[in-house]
Amino acid sequence: MANDNSVKGNVIRDAGIICVGTELLLGEIVNTDAAFISRRLAALGIGVFRQYVVGDNPGRLKEMIGAAYSRTDTLIFSGGLGPTADDLTKETVAEWFGKKLVRDERTAARIGDYFCRSHRRAPHSNEKQAYVPEGSVVLDNDYGTAPGIIIEEEIDGRKKTAVLLPGPPSELEPLFLEKVEPYLMERSGGTIVSRNICLIGIGESEVGDIIAGMMESDNPTVAPYCGDGEVRVRVAAKAADAEKAAAAADAAVGRILGTGIREYVYGIDARSPEAELIARLREKGMTLATAESCTGGMLSERITSLAGCSDVFLGGCVTYANGAKTDLLGVPSETIEKFGAVSAETAAAMAIGARERLGASVGLSATGIAGPGGGTPEKPVGTVWIGVSTPDGTAVRKLSLSPTRTRDQIRKISCTALFGFAIFRISSDGRPKTEGIIEV
Amino acid sequence: MANDNSVKGNVIRDAGIICVGTELLLGEIVNTDAAFISRRLAALGIGVFRQYVVGDNPGRLKEMIGAAYSRTDTLIFSGGLGPTADDLTKETVAEWFGKKLVRDERTAARIGDYFCRSHRRAPHSNEKQAYVPEGSVVLDNDYGTAPGIIIEEEIDGRKKTAVLLPGPPSELEPLFLEKVEPYLMERSGGTIVSRNICLIGIGESEVGDIIAGMMESDNPTVAPYCGDGEVRVRVAAKAADAEKAAAAADAAVGRILGTGIREYVYGIDARSPEAELIARLREKGMTLATAESCTGGMLSERITSLAGCSDVFLGGCVTYANGAKTDLLGVPSETIEKFGAVSAETAAAMAIGARERLGASVGLSATGIAGPGGGTPEKPVGTVWIGVSTPDGTAVRKLSLSPTRTRDQIRKISCTALFGFAIFRISSDGRPKTEGIIEV
């Protein structure tokens, strides 16, 4: 560390986030950094009340720093630490604090090593990244060249803290987890514990109507929010310690599960429907195979995004052309001719084909019209048949999604609905509403 | 429309974006709305200098509105128009402008119809969404219940404009494109034309070193930014009309293509590497099939995210288990035993298998170790073999990605590298560096 001159004492209760980058203001990239930092701060019990985005413009950034520090004592910055001339966050924050930049020899050596390891010569522009504000804490970046930087300084009687992090998520995220969290953990008071009740098959408005009374509480807070094809009810309780906060959160969850939404619950704090499905199949010693038409690989992509899924997931077929459905999955061409590629019969044959061809316990299938083209009056865009074949039998269900949804949404919602359908089919407990399910 | 009392005259040159939602501050969702709105405003030549995010808290939102209006005359709001009690954007903006909320009968009828069409009863909470600030322009939402709202009002001699949009992207995006853009188009002066030079196989720092001189220009601006496995150089020129701006942008692109980065260019303004590949295959009347191990369906998912890809893409196999590689793709089990599932030989056999089994012109394959587990000293995490089989032959390449990258990044970069490899293999012009490519 260049020098640790941290001002002791003050507890960090809230923080602001400033993301710097003209590419964010032009909408060329989505601000995943703000979401990541916010999520981690919430877990530490540090409230985030404001996020800001500004371009690579020192004047506007400096003005924003001042405005943000008038509302909070701690700011987390992402971006603008790169090697190029338009990366100016470090320079601007240092100027705001009235600090010079000094060459950090350890960082200079680390950057040299970084390029050496990947058998490349350090470009000249990276020299700029070896400079840090004098007296700052330098966080070694094992995932890239720009170091993380923490500045702590008493200004007008209040300790102001600035945490500067590189913008690429592949650098920011591990740096935050490994080096910033331990730093903040020591400085945060109180703890928030949150629970997410995860639902498939019910809309946000309907959930809101059912739990309206509980949503008025300040602590724990209760709020529904919707993703693609699922709704989550977030319960967040704040207390002096984790045990008390957990007890308050769990009590609220119990009250919510006492309502009519219980039958749509596929998990509590589930990472995702696919993670929940894989975990439940693993518990039962079952294996999985997929057969996809309209989802085009999204189903297997979501499953294989889970590290270690290979003990459950064997593989799948993306049968986009009708010939592929027959050749790879053994769907009889007469079935496709008679009922169409988007039909209960084809969905059932695909699920059975995946299970049999790959020798899996469970086969999943999806075939539908994701749009924007390809719809007919009988089968409009948004018509998707999903199927689940298990040792106990095969069942299919029709989804009639709004044709105003985008292609991507129709595919995502179809996958989520199918994961939910599969979870409910393989579970003996709490079977949900079975309306619209056709046993084959 | 409730009443159009728009204040005539002023040109909209810049705007701020305020996204409202506690779920954003908790990091539970990523702010795609800000990116979408920014991208569209940039295309209209309206500069965005600041984005803000605030929670469902009327006090903080009101304070933020005042601060933001001190920097710009136009604000676009997303979120907080939902039916539940915590949705307060409309109420707070109306209060800031000193306007009452009045029931809009057309909106009330539209909400009733909306639920009727999906055979549901309108929940009581949706009644709230029929209220709009008096004198505002109401934008009918054909994709959900909350209407868009435009408020225009002269305050202290300046026309202040507020555009309120619902938060879900499936509602915000079409509403913006269909109703907000035409409104803004009439009120914006000057035009920005931007071009993106799209590169695969070179890093951001190296690009920055090569074009450092050009990055100092104010107009056109030139800046590199990196995605997963690709780098883009954005050139943005502003001028009085689109023709002049385009000429200035194109001249700068020409200068950049005169440098050493040319050989890494896979497209100009390419939507994505996969879109570029599919377009080039379509031009040549060729078809495509995929064989995926570590990418687990991501390759076919990215291809099928493109509407209308079915004339080129036939299908693919996700062969996660070794048995699936043999059964579905005909990879000889001796090949896997002798060389391993992650090897040049297996990648070649998979690409050939996909091409032959699906009867396609081109077969793509990827097999590797995406981590975090499964690495060995000889084949560490990040080792991925990619293959392209065409009528002219089959070639494979080894990627050695940094093992510090996440599973998701290794998969994304592998897909991007493979799309780039395929584009270069099927192109007769400008064949790039061929180092590390093994012809099979």
PDB file of all heavy atoms in Angstrom, chain A residues 56-68:
ATOM      1  N   ASP A  56     -16.915  11.011 -19.792  1.00  0.00           N
ATOM      2  CA  ASP A  56     -15.484  11.238 -19.582  1.00  0.00           C
ATOM      3  C   ASP A  56     -15.204  12.728 -19.735  1.00  0.00           C
ATOM      4  O   ASP A  56     -14.498  13.160 -20.643  1.00  0.00           O
ATOM      5  CB  ASP A  56     -14.679  10.425 -20.604  1.00  0.00           C
ATOM      6  CG  ASP A  56     -14.973   8.940 -20.493  1.00  0.00           C
ATOM      7  OD1 ASP A  56     -14.842   8.400 -19.383  1.00  0.00           O
ATOM      8  OD2 ASP A  56     -15.339   8.323 -21.507  1.00  0.00           O
ATOM      9  N   ASN A  57     -15.764  13.528 -18.830  1.00  0.00           N
ATOM     10  CA  ASN A  57     -15.677  14.974 -18.925  1.00  0.00           C
ATOM     11  C   ASN A  57     -15.334  15.502 -17.529  1.00  0.00           C
ATOM     12  O   ASN A  57     -16.168  15.475 -16.621  1.00  0.00           O
ATOM     13  CB  ASN A  57     -17.039  15.528 -19.399  1.00  0.00           C
ATOM     14  CG  ASN A  57     -17.055  17.036 -19.453  1.00  0.00           C
ATOM     15  OD1 ASN A  57     -16.894  17.704 -18.433  1.00  0.00           O
ATOM     16  ND2 ASN A  57     -17.248  17.574 -20.632  1.00  0.00           N
ATOM     17  N   PRO A  58     -14.104  15.987 -17.344  1.00  0.00           N
ATOM     18  CA  PRO A  58     -13.651  16.353 -15.988  1.00  0.00           C
ATOM     19  C   PRO A  58     -14.513  17.423 -15.326  1.00  0.00           C
ATOM     20  O   PRO A  58     -14.780  17.354 -14.128  1.00  0.00           O
ATOM     21  CB  PRO A  58     -12.228  16.865 -16.224  1.00  0.00           C
ATOM     22  CG  PRO A  58     -11.815  16.334 -17.549  1.00  0.00           C
ATOM     23  CD  PRO A  58     -13.064  16.172 -18.355  1.00  0.00           C
ATOM     24  N   GLY A  59     -14.980  18.403 -16.089  1.00  0.00           N
ATOM     25  CA  GLY A  59     -15.777  19.487 -15.511  1.00  0.00           C
ATOM     26  C   GLY A  59     -17.066  18.960 -14.914  1.00  0.00           C
ATOM     27  O   GLY A  59     -17.408  19.257 -13.759  1.00  0.00           O
ATOM     28  N   ARG A  60     -17.801  18.168 -15.705  1.00  0.00           N
ATOM     29  CA  ARG A  60     -19.074  17.642 -15.209  1.00  0.00           C
ATOM     30  C   ARG A  60     -18.864  16.643 -14.091  1.00  0.00           C
ATOM     31  O   ARG A  60     -19.649  16.572 -13.148  1.00  0.00           O
ATOM     32  CB  ARG A  60     -19.852  16.978 -16.358  1.00  0.00           C
ATOM     33  CG  ARG A  60     -20.320  17.974 -17.375  1.00  0.00           C
ATOM     34  CD  ARG A  60     -21.313  17.380 -18.381  1.00  0.00           C
ATOM     35  NE  ARG A  60     -21.328  18.254 -19.542  1.00  0.00           N
ATOM     36  CZ  ARG A  60     -20.797  17.944 -20.714  1.00  0.00           C
ATOM     37  NH1 ARG A  60     -20.248  16.760 -20.925  1.00  0.00           N
ATOM     38  NH2 ARG A  60     -20.820  18.812 -21.690  1.00  0.00           N
ATOM     39  N   LEU A  61     -17.796  15.838 -14.200  1.00  0.00           N
ATOM     40  CA  LEU A  61     -17.527  14.862 -13.145  1.00  0.00           C
ATOM     41  C   LEU A  61     -17.242  15.580 -11.821  1.00  0.00           C
ATOM     42  O   LEU A  61     -17.777  15.207 -10.770  1.00  0.00           O
ATOM     43  CB  LEU A  61     -16.344  13.963 -13.542  1.00  0.00           C
ATOM     44  CG  LEU A  61     -15.841  12.985 -12.474  1.00  0.00           C
ATOM     45  CD1 LEU A  61     -16.969  12.082 -11.965  1.00  0.00           C
ATOM     46  CD2 LEU A  61     -14.700  12.123 -13.026  1.00  0.00           C
ATOM     47  N   LYS A  62     -16.433  16.653 -11.884  1.00  0.00           N
ATOM     48  CA  LYS A  62     -16.067  17.374 -10.663  1.00  0.00           C
ATOM     49  C   LYS A  62     -17.306  17.984 -10.009  1.00  0.00           C
ATOM     50  O   LYS A  62     -17.494  17.893  -8.793  1.00  0.00           O
ATOM     51  CB  LYS A  62     -15.065  18.474 -11.021  1.00  0.00           C
ATOM     52  CG  LYS A  62     -14.112  18.781  -9.889  1.00  0.00           C
ATOM     53  CD  LYS A  62     -13.001  19.695 -10.341  1.00  0.00           C
ATOM     54  CE  LYS A  62     -12.303  20.306  -9.140  1.00  0.00           C
ATOM     55  NZ  LYS A  62     -11.313  21.303  -9.529  1.00  0.00           N
ATOM     56  N   GLU A  63     -18.158  18.553 -10.828  1.00  0.00           N
ATOM     57  CA  GLU A  63     -19.393  19.145 -10.309  1.00  0.00           C
ATOM     58  C   GLU A  63     -20.265  18.056  -9.664  1.00  0.00           C
ATOM     59  O   GLU A  63     -20.849  18.246  -8.591  1.00  0.00           O
ATOM     60  CB  GLU A  63     -20.108  19.847 -11.484  1.00  0.00           C
ATOM     61  CG  GLU A  63     -21.506  20.348 -11.213  1.00  0.00           C
ATOM     62  CD  GLU A  63     -22.563  19.396 -11.745  1.00  0.00           C
ATOM     63  OE1 GLU A  63     -22.502  18.998 -12.927  1.00  0.00           O
ATOM     64  OE2 GLU A  63     -23.474  19.062 -10.958  1.00  0.00           O
ATOM     65  N   MET A  64     -20.308  16.884 -10.309  1.00  0.00           N
ATOM     66  CA  MET A  64     -21.121  15.788  -9.783  1.00  0.00           C
ATOM     67  C   MET A  64     -20.559  15.256  -8.465  1.00  0.00           C
ATOM     68  O   MET A  64     -21.313  14.901  -7.555  1.00  0.00           O
ATOM     69  CB  MET A  64     -21.208  14.677 -10.819  1.00  0.00           C
ATOM     70  CG  MET A  64     -22.162  13.572 -10.435  1.00  0.00           C
ATOM     71  SD  MET A  64     -22.419  12.426 -11.793  1.00  0.00           S
ATOM     72  CE  MET A  64     -23.793  13.208 -12.654  1.00  0.00           C
ATOM     73  N   ILE A  65     -19.238  15.196  -8.356  1.00  0.00           N
ATOM     74  CA  ILE A  65     -18.619  14.729  -7.113  1.00  0.00           C
ATOM     75  C   ILE A  65     -19.060  15.632  -5.954  1.00  0.00           C
ATOM     76  O   ILE A  65     -19.483  15.156  -4.897  1.00  0.00           O
ATOM     77  CB  ILE A  65     -17.075  14.720  -7.224  1.00  0.00           C
ATOM     78  CG1 ILE A  65     -16.617  13.702  -8.282  1.00  0.00           C
ATOM     79  CG2 ILE A  65     -16.426  14.400  -5.869  1.00  0.00           C
ATOM     80  CD1 ILE A  65     -15.129  13.800  -8.636  1.00  0.00           C
ATOM     81  N   GLY A  66     -19.010  16.948  -6.191  1.00  0.00           N
ATOM     82  CA  GLY A  66     -19.409  17.890  -5.153  1.00  0.00           C
ATOM     83  C   GLY A  66     -20.863  17.704  -4.755  1.00  0.00           C
ATOM     84  O   GLY A  66     -21.200  17.645  -3.567  1.00  0.00           O
ATOM     85  N   ALA A  67     -21.742  17.578  -5.759  1.00  0.00           N
ATOM     86  CA  ALA A  67     -23.171  17.415  -5.477  1.00  0.00           C
ATOM     87  C   ALA A  67     -23.415  16.112  -4.725  1.00  0.00           C
ATOM     88  O   ALA A  67     -24.189  16.068  -3.754  1.00  0.00           O
ATOM     89  CB  ALA A  67     -23.959  17.425  -6.794  1.00  0.00           C
ATOM     90  N   ALA A  68     -22.739  15.043  -5.130  1.00  0.00           N
ATOM     91  CA  ALA A  68     -22.957  13.740  -4.493  1.00  0.00           C
ATOM     92  C   ALA A  68     -22.442  13.741  -3.058  1.00  0.00           C
ATOM     93  O   ALA A  68     -23.085  13.197  -2.159  1.00  0.00           O
ATOM     94  CB  ALA A  68     -22.287  12.642  -5.320  1.00  0.00           C
TER      95      ALA A  68
END
